[in-house]
Amino acid sequence: MSAFKTILYFFLLLLIQRIILDNLFIGEFERPFILFVFIIIIPNLPTWALLLIAFLAGLIYDIFNNTPGIHSFSSVLLAFLKDLSLPFLFDNEDEISLGISSKTFGFGRFLVIALVCSFIYNLSVILLTDFGITDVQDFATRLIFGTLSSTVLVYVFDILAFYRRKEAI
Amino acid sequence: MGNILYFLARYNRIFIFVLLEITALSLVVSYHDAKRKTVFSFLNDITSRFDSKVSDIKYYFHLKSTNESLLAENARLRQNQPNAKWADTMRQVQIIDTTFKQKFTYQPAQVINNSTNVKNNYITIDAGTNEGVNSHMGVVSTNGIIGITRFSSGNYATVLSVLHKDFQVSAQILENDELGSVVWEGGSPDVVTLKDIPVHIILKKGWHVIVSQNSDAFPKGIPIGTIISFQTNGSEATYNVKVRLAASIRNVQKVYVINNILLDEKKALETKTLESNK
């Protein structure tokens, strides 16, 4: 994926998050975050570049959302963990450049990765928003709901991209 | 020296990671310190302009309900006009009234960004210091209370909505003048909690809760909502009263920012009194 395309993806995700998802009302639950999909689909870069881009992406959303630091922290954390785990996810080092998608991993394995990423991201956001755990039940429902809804979004986004790739072939 | 450079190069990913995380965390912490101004004040104008465009589009979908609430308010105001009342006596006395002077001024504004689905909700409005909007001013809609302004830039201001854990307003039950305070404990964005009502007071569902005279930011009598349920709070001597908000924060489009002209004078006097006690 070219650098230009990546930036385009980021702004597309930012628009979706800001115009649609932030206006969703789903009871008392945390709204789903799609922005961290960007960290997952971002191509294989040098570590410093990946971390810096993740920080900037989180910061831009933070500015819109009036939550300084919360999403920057979470996206840098996710990017760092992604960078650490990449060599273990792929059997073959040459495949790393393919990036994470259902195409390279198959739907089942991709689901697990999406769930884990979504869990880490939501956990970090909720902990930083509340500054710790005050109400365990409330915390758990928000975490579970946030994780699941974000995972569904990752999947929808991946399927859309997948079919587009298929047509291109 | 060479060793240090080698060490840095070897573990550069850890260093960058830690550096960025500390930066992000310090942002989180500095924002939580309520005394400081918002970190991104210089960027808020840019993001607000974007939100303003989105809001312009959304506004069209709410034209009908906005119109209806304006009509309802107009009807209420017309009822209070002198020409809507009749005198039951023939005697007329003319008084030149110099008692009343302006205490509250109202500045209309449009909501351009609004959240109700997180723990601490904010609203952004398109009136700022240029329109005389500063922090700690009351914000109401045509139906009732909405929040209190937090920060303001040139053309925009953020409002701490009723649905925020730091929001608290002194309230009063219209039917029996009992005083309490209204807070939001999370959950439904239409329901707030009225606290500090002693259990020996008789309450009824459907009674109205209004802003009391103790509030600095709001004039007395602004509607907050109606009582939908109340229960005793275990061993405590006060009720836990659930109040349905009169104004739906989710759909609010047009608001008024209320400026209390005498607030500075009152605050100065209160501070002086507190200091004289020390």
Side-chain angles (χ1 to χ4, degrees):
Chain A
M1 205 189 303
S2 67
F4 176 72
K5 227 173 160 183
T6 314
I7 294 170
L8 211 68
Y9 258 120
F10 173 69
F11 282 105
L12 178 67
L13 289 171
L14 186 67
L15 278 179
I16 295 175
Q17 178 81 53
R18 198 62 205 154
I19 295 178
I20 303 171
L21 297 179
D22 283 1
N23 290 311
L24 270 188
F25 176 74
I26 323 174
E28 54 200 82
F29 300 117
E30 200 76 9
R31 63 201 157 182
F33 299 113
I34 197 174
L35 217 63
F36 78 94
V37 177
F38 178 66
I39 314 289
I40 302 180
I41 63 168
I42 212 171
N44 198 29
L45 288 168
T47 311
W48 64 271
L50 180 73
L51 291 179
L52 214 61
I53 288 174
F55 182 76
L56 286 178
L59 197 66
I60 291 175
Y61 181 57
D62 274 339
I63 294 168
F64 273 101
N65 205 25
N66 213 6
T67 52
I70 291 177
H71 288 272
S72 338
F73 185 93
S74 312
S75 25
V76 172
L77 180 72
L78 190 64
F80 183 70
L81 292 177
K82 177 199 164 186
D83 194 62
L84 273 186
S85 56
L86 263 187
F88 303 105
L89 287 175
F90 290 92
D91 309 325
N92 193 334
E93 284 222 351
D94 304 335
E95 287 176 356
I96 290 183
S97 61
L98 289 175
I100 298 176
S101 70
S102 60
K103 194 181 158 199
T104 48
F105 282 112
F107 278 97
R109 218 168 144 209
F110 180 68
L111 179 67
V112 177
I113 295 172
L115 256 176
V116 171
C117 290
S118 164
F119 176 79
I120 294 168
Y121 195 87
N122 276 285
L123 179 71
S124 158
V125 167
I126 293 174
L127 278 181
L128 282 177
T129 314
D130 293 5
F131 250 47
I133 303 172
T134 39
D135 180 352
V136 179
Q137 197 194 346
D138 172 69
F139 171 78
T141 35
R142 277 163 66 208
L143 182 59
I144 293 169
F145 185 80
T147 305
L148 290 181
S149 58
S150 299
T151 311
V152 169
L153 278 176
V154 177
Y155 236 83
V156 169
F157 202 81
D158 184 75
I159 287 168
L160 289 179
F162 181 74
Y163 279 106
R164 238 174 45 108
R165 277 197 298 272
K166 239 183 163 180
E167 277 166 23
I169 297 165
Chain B
M1 188 66 198
N3 279 341
I4 296 175
L5 283 180
Y6 173 76
F7 183 72
L8 284 177
R10 176 88 176 73
Y11 294 103
N12 73 64
R13 62 163 76 170
I14 309 271
F15 282 111
I16 294 170
F17 171 67
V18 171
L19 193 77
L20 290 176
E21 292 296 56
I22 288 175
T23 318
L25 264 186
S26 64
L27 282 177
V28 177
V29 172
S30 66
Y31 183 74
H32 269 259
D33 187 357
K35 288 195 179 61
R36 291 206 203 159
K37 281 266 166 187
T38 169
V39 205
F40 297 128
S41 57
F42 64 105
L43 284 170
N44 269 354
D45 259 21
I46 303 170
T47 58
S48 299
R49 221 156 277 171
F50 171 82
D51 285 336
S52 165
K53 288 272 173 290
V54 177
S55 152
D56 280 351
I57 299 163
K58 279 200 322 206
Y59 181 51
Y60 281 96
F61 296 103
H62 292 282
L63 277 180
K64 190 163 175 260
S65 59
T66 310
N67 254 332
E68 275 164 6
S69 75
L70 282 171
L71 278 176
E73 187 190 33
N74 269 340
R76 253 197 332 273
L77 294 175
R78 273 170 193 274
Q79 278 172 24
N80 288 332
Q81 289 277 310
N83 60 11
K85 295 180 173 137
W86 65 285
D88 58 355
T89 165
M90 293 300 287
R91 207 166 63 105
Q92 288 202 349
V93 185
Q94 196 174 8
I95 303 167
I96 299 167
D97 191 347
T98 54
T99 323
F100 290 106
K101 291 216 168 66
Q102 198 79 32
K103 181 179 176 193
F104 293 99
T105 58
Y106 287 70
Q107 165 71 39
Q110 160 84 28
V111 171
I112 58 170
N113 186 25
N114 184 4
S115 74
T116 54
N117 50 5
V118 284
K119 281 225 137 177
N120 293 320
N121 294 289
Y122 288 94
I123 296 170
T124 313
I125 55 173
D126 71 344
T129 43
N130 294 347
E131 284 83 15
V133 175
N134 291 313
S135 54
H136 302 298
M137 288 182 176
V139 178
V140 296
S141 77
T142 51
N143 298 328
I145 190 167
I146 296 292
I148 285 179
T149 54
R150 181 91 186 251
F151 300 118
S152 56
S153 61
N155 299 310
Y156 301 102
T158 51
V159 177
L160 193 106
S161 127
V162 176
L163 312 177
H164 190 294
K165 72 172 177 354
D166 293 341
F167 184 89
Q168 187 170 10
V169 67
S170 172
Q172 177 178 359
I173 297 172
L174 181 66
E175 279 75 4
N176 63 2
D177 290 345
E178 202 55 44
L179 289 172
S181 57
V182 161
V183 291
W184 187 57
E185 295 178 326
S188 164
D190 294 323
V191 178
V192 292
T193 308
L194 174 63
K195 298 199 148 190
D196 304 336
I197 302 289
V199 281
H200 66 266
I201 304 292
I202 295 166
L203 292 179
K204 279 204 181 96
K205 283 182 192 175
W207 277 8
H208 298 83
V209 180
I210 58 170
V211 174
S212 83
Q213 71 270 30
N214 296 346
S215 172
D216 286 336
F218 300 97
K220 184 192 171 183
I222 300 262
I224 296 175
T226 47
I227 297 177
I228 51 171
S229 75
F230 51 88
Q231 61 203 36
T232 47
N233 213 351
S235 58
E236 285 176 40
T238 55
Y239 279 121
N240 198 356
V241 186
K242 294 285 176 205
V243 177
R244 181 170 297 281
L245 282 173
S248 167
I249 307 234
R250 232 184 303 164
N251 300 326
V252 63
Q253 289 288 336
K254 290 282 184 193
V255 294
Y256 299 105
V257 182
I258 301 173
N259 182 16
N260 184 352
I261 296 170
L262 301 180
L263 183 63
D264 285 344
E265 190 183 328
K266 181 183 172 225
K267 284 271 180 228
L269 188 64
E270 284 173 355
T271 331
K272 202 173 151 191
T273 314
L274 280 178
E275 277 169 1
S276 71
N277 276 344
K278 280 175 190 167

